[in-house]
Amino acid sequence: LIDFARLSASARNAQILRFVTVTEAETRAAMDKLVVLGGALTPEQRATDAQRPGAYIAICAPEKIDDFAVMDIGIAAQSINLAACEAGLATCMIGAVKKDEAAELLGLPEDLKVKLVMALGEPDEEVRLVARREDGKLIYYRDENDVHCVPKITLEEAVILNR
């Protein structure tokens, strides 16, 4: 999966991103405590211990990066996501990470910081893209059938000008 990210576009072809795979059980369990999965869900709706990810990928870069490098993080994450989906895996991009503690856990060199963590595993829930909530919010939720609903704006909202 990282090879797809490595071969993806990179602003100015700087290729500043580095990746850490987390597959060992002990390290995965420690990482579980440093990330928040489903922060918008109630504690009862969040992943159980049996549903925790089978692996993580930490996307790392120098602490101070420009806007172009930030784009690289998104490109790399989406490349990993698409390749994982093609392989039948589910992913979750996690920004709610105790990044300093994760860097220490992973043994990162001091010049690199954790920028984004991706959880990977076997999909075990239904995810449905839905219209914006009646209250106008875009916060994901679980419906009465325990389906993970992810509100999306309409195409008309996304395209603001057509010239």
Side-chain angles (χ1 to χ4, degrees):
L1 297 176
I2 292 170
D3 213 28
F4 285 95
R6 179 185 70 82
L7 296 172
S8 294
S10 172
R12 299 185 191 121
N13 203 35
Q15 302 179 52
I16 65 164
L17 301 181
R18 298 296 180 264
F19 305 88
V20 178
T21 59
V22 180
T23 58
E24 296 172 353
E26 187 176 310
T27 310
R28 255 190 1 250
M31 185 65 86
D32 287 343
K33 295 180 173 110
L34 301 179
V35 301
V36 176
L37 291 172
L41 302 174
T42 65
E44 301 80 32
Q45 294 173 323
R46 293 184 188 152
T48 65
D49 287 343
Q51 294 172 311
R52 297 305 265 176
Y56 291 100
I57 295 175
I59 301 176
C60 307
E63 183 171 6
K64 295 184 191 286
I65 57 176
D66 62 20
D67 291 344
F68 289 107
V70 172
M71 286 185 265
D72 282 3
I73 295 167
I75 292 167
Q78 186 67 354
S79 295
I80 291 168
N81 178 58
L82 292 171
C85 289
E86 185 66 23
L89 297 171
T91 66
C92 180
M93 297 178 199
I94 308 169
V97 180
K98 294 179 181 175
K99 293 177 180 168
D100 290 339
E101 292 177 46
E104 185 176 333
L105 170 70
L106 301 173
L108 288 184
E110 286 196 27
D111 63 327
L112 290 178
K113 302 296 179 194
V114 172
K115 298 297 185 174
L116 185 71
V117 171
M118 297 188 67
L120 297 111
E122 298 287 330
D124 74 340
E125 68 177 5
E126 181 183 349
V127 177
R128 186 175 303 142
L129 303 181
V130 297
R132 182 189 295 270
R133 294 169 60 146
E134 288 182 23
D135 62 8
K137 294 182 180 176
L138 294 168
I139 299 169
Y140 56 86
Y141 61 94
R142 291 197 187 281
D143 70 10
E144 63 280 352
N145 298 314
D146 204 35
V147 173
H148 187 95
C149 297
V150 182
K152 296 292 182 181
I153 63 173
T154 64
L155 182 60
E156 290 76 19
E157 287 177 282
V159 178
I160 60 168
L161 295 171
N162 185 7
R163 296 178 185 237

